[in-house]
């Protein structure tokens, strides 16, 4: 089945069914990656250790995200 046919079929669903379809499709793209999680945890631990030992300075949140 090509994409156009699939979309046409999906458009025939009622709104709740279309929402369920979209939700499933989006979740299928956001699968956890244990290796990526491990790399980010290691990086966060390195940065925290550098901050605690004074090798790295923090940046005020207001400088990063602006005034709230």
């Amino acid at each position: 089945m090509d994409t156009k046919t699939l979309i046409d079929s999906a458009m025939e669903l009622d709104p709740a069914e279309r929402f369920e379809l979209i939700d499933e499709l989006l979740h299928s793209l956001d699968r956890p990656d244990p290796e990526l999680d491990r790399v980010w945890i290691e990086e966060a631990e390195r940065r925290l250790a550098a901050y605690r030992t004074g090798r790295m300075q923090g940046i005020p949140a207001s400088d990063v995200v602006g005034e709230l």
Side-chain angles (χ1 to χ4, degrees), residues 6-55:
L6 185 57
I7 291 171
D8 289 344
S9 295
M11 294 304 291
E12 293 177 14
L13 299 171
D14 67 57
E17 291 173 314
R18 287 194 312 246
F19 179 80
E20 184 178 348
L21 175 61
I22 290 168
D23 192 51
E24 287 292 323
L25 289 171
L26 286 174
H27 281 96
S28 75
L29 297 173
D30 191 24
R31 299 260 188 249
D33 182 344
E35 178 61 17
L36 186 57
D37 291 344
R38 183 191 63 74
V39 169
W40 274 113
I41 289 168
E42 288 176 1
E43 179 63 21
E45 289 171 346
R46 275 194 297 277
R47 291 180 188 195
L48 180 58
Y51 174 77
R52 286 182 172 164
T53 61
R55 292 181 288 130

